[in-house]
Amino acid sequence: MAKYFGTNGVRGRFDELTPELALKLSKAIGAYFKHGRIVLARDARLTGECLKSAIVSGLLSVGCRVIDLDLAPAPTAEFMVKELKADGCIIITASHNPPEWNAIKVVDGNGVAVSRERGGEIEKLMEKVKQAEWNNVGTMRRNDSAIVLHIEKIMSLVDRKKITAKRPKLVLDCGNGTAALLAPLLFRQLGADVLTINSHIDGTFPGRPSEPTEKNVRGLVSFVKSSGSDAGIAWDGDGDRVIFVDEKGTYIIGDKVMALSTFWKLSGKKGDVVTTVATSRVVEDIAGKSGAKVKYTKIGAPYLSAEMAKGGYAIGGEEVGGVIWPEISLAKDGFLTAAKMVEKLTEKKLSDWLKELPGYHNAKISVKADEKLKKEAVERVLGHAKKEGLDYTDVDGVRVNLEGGWVIVRPSGTENRVRIFSEAKTEKEAKSNLEEYKKIALG
Ligand code: MG
């Protein structure tokens, strides 16, 4: 079992994820990737340069060749892994977490993020790996073309002519994250009329917290309305997650970003869909319209990208607004997701696209629970589902599919809590299902 690796990399505050730990981990990561070519990128967090120096040192000391992108969005680094046929990738970013946090996110040469389980294998190497002889120490080369190449790739995957002809007016909220290095350039080159907020890069995230929740993007919502724009777009700190705001100022949550992306993708292409067990039924409904099936995975990007890597899927993604387009990489790409939306804006308004999606209501609670209760809650719900012959998925907690809705009972991976989430066609039904499963789970 991994000591340091969590669901998606090694995450911590600076007194937990120290330069010493970063050095040891990166030597092991270098060995795990067979001392090969490693793409390295970071976001603008204040601890980023310090951790990067330790990681570079670790990788070079075991003979790796480091391709240094320095400041770059996570999707750009993940796109470059395939582009450069690298053996692996390290991204120094805590994504949407507060500025005092940082993380080492690891991606393999196929573009699949390293899970907690594979992180455990890396940790086993920490004690064993030896530094190279003096004449076998690695090298580091700077690559300054990653963002340009990523922009060019995205532009090749959307209809630029349509966008240029309509010239939609957009407000981009880069949240002072690495999205600021790419998004304004991309959307101007695509021919949109671009306004920006929080679009200078700053690792203290002075404009807004880096998670694009409804509360955090109120500034974007009001600017979309006051400027008469066609849409607003906000990214998280590393640019893989994205949310939209329609022309009326309505905040569009991640589930719906995923559902709209699925709708657009499946209207032109066949293939199934991958998402996590926490995603709204709306994605399954939309996929069903095109005859596509939905494969549910555990929560976390590594599980999604590992499933996508098996092939045959048209699109994947998670409920927080992270969408995977396999034509670009196996990582969530918040820029291609936004570019696809802007292309579709040329056909009709974003609020009209939303009408294509079935409406759902949800209810959620989280209950204090020790390890014993966490285990029992899952067992009780699983027992109930089996006894009643209900359709269920138990890859991560238990998700029970009911008529017109679903409930998930899931022990938290990081806290002493059991979370229960319910979604249904009506608010009343969502609440009553939540109460029913709360009783079942808690016994
Ligand atoms: Mg992120």
Side-chain angles (χ1 to χ4, degrees), residues 91 118 183 231 233 276 292 300 416-417 434:
I91 308 167
R118 290 171 76 197
I233 306 169
T276 78
N416 284 331
R417 291 193 163 275
L434 185 82

Side-chain angles (χ1 to χ4, degrees), residues 11 74 93-96 105 236-241 318 332:
R11 200 168 290 248
T93 176
S95 182
H96 54 281
K105 184 173 154 183
D236 73 338
D238 62 345
D240 56 359
R241 283 166 52 173
E318 58 183 7
K332 297 172 286 175

Side-chain angles (χ1 to χ4, degrees), residues 60-325:
L60 298 187
S61 74
V62 297
C64 291
R65 280 166 289 160
V66 175
I67 303 156
D68 177 29
L69 311 185
D70 201 40
L71 286 172
T76 303
E78 293 176 274
F79 162 69
M80 288 302 280
V81 174
K82 277 238 156 150
E83 198 68 12
L84 296 169
K85 299 191 174 66
D87 300 292
C89 172
I90 296 179
I91 308 167
I92 308 161
T93 176
S95 182
H96 54 281
N97 292 140
E100 63 273 23
W101 288 77
N102 216 331
I104 296 175
K105 184 173 154 183
V106 185
V107 178
D108 72 16
N110 295 319
V112 176
V114 167
S115 62
R116 187 192 295 265
E117 294 78 9
R118 290 171 76 197
E121 293 170 35
I122 292 176
E123 289 177 22
K124 279 188 197 152
L125 297 171
M126 283 171 82
E127 301 309 321
K128 291 184 205 154
V129 60
K130 298 230 167 40
Q131 76 174 44
E133 294 294 323
W134 69 273
N135 52 356
N136 277 323
V137 165
T139 55
M140 176 161 83
R141 294 291 174 267
R142 180 71 185 251
N143 182 312
D144 285 322
S145 55
I147 287 173
V148 172
L149 289 173
H150 190 194
I151 288 176
E152 278 175 8
K153 180 69 182 182
I154 293 170
M155 288 181 53
S156 75
L157 296 171
V158 292
D159 191 336
R160 185 183 175 186
K161 274 194 193 142
K162 269 167 85 178
I163 299 171
T164 308
K166 278 267 181 163
R167 203 171 164 74
K169 189 171 177 180
L170 310 173
V171 183
L172 311 183
D173 179 349
C174 300
N176 305 111
T178 43
L181 300 171
L182 189 151
L185 267 173
L186 168 67
F187 290 97
R188 284 193 183 112
Q189 286 191 35
L190 281 172
D193 184 0
V194 175
L195 301 170
T196 61
I197 56 172
N198 305 322
S199 289
H200 68 283
I201 190 160
D202 186 330
T204 65
F205 304 116
R208 63 162 168 87
S210 57
E211 185 168 17
T213 59
E214 185 165 12
K215 184 168 146 258
N216 292 344
V217 301
R218 279 187 296 216
L220 173 66
V221 168
S222 62
F223 195 29
V224 167
K225 286 194 280 189
S226 66
S227 61
S229 294
D230 298 298
I233 306 169
W235 290 269
D236 73 338
D238 62 345
D240 56 359
R241 283 166 52 173
V242 64
I243 62 86
F244 305 142
V245 173
D246 76 9
E247 77 287 353
K248 295 175 181 164
T250 308
Y251 174 86
I252 301 172
I253 59 165
D255 274 320
K256 289 188 174 174
V257 170
M258 172 62 194
L260 284 171
S261 301
T262 303
F263 185 64
W264 294 325
K265 183 69 189 268
L266 293 182
S267 62
K269 196 179 182 297
K270 285 218 175 318
D272 288 336
V273 180
V274 183
T275 194
T276 78
V277 287
T279 299
S280 168
R281 179 81 152 258
V282 73
V283 171
E284 195 173 320
D285 289 357
I286 289 292
K289 279 189 185 176
S290 309
K293 288 195 196 73
V294 173
K295 169 82 183 178
Y296 288 102
T297 69
K298 280 168 96 162
I299 296 166
Y303 305 110
L304 278 175
S305 57
E307 186 62 37
M308 292 292 291
K310 293 178 184 169
Y313 293 109
I315 195 163
E318 58 183 7
E319 81 290 354
V320 288
V323 184
I324 300 173
W325 306 82

Side-chain angles (χ1 to χ4, degrees), residues 281 360 390 400-406 423-425 429 433:
R281 179 81 152 258
Y360 281 101
L390 299 167
V400 183
N401 294 314
L402 305 162
E403 213 164 303
W406 58 280
E423 184 182 71
K425 289 272 185 202
E429 207 179 341
N433 288 343

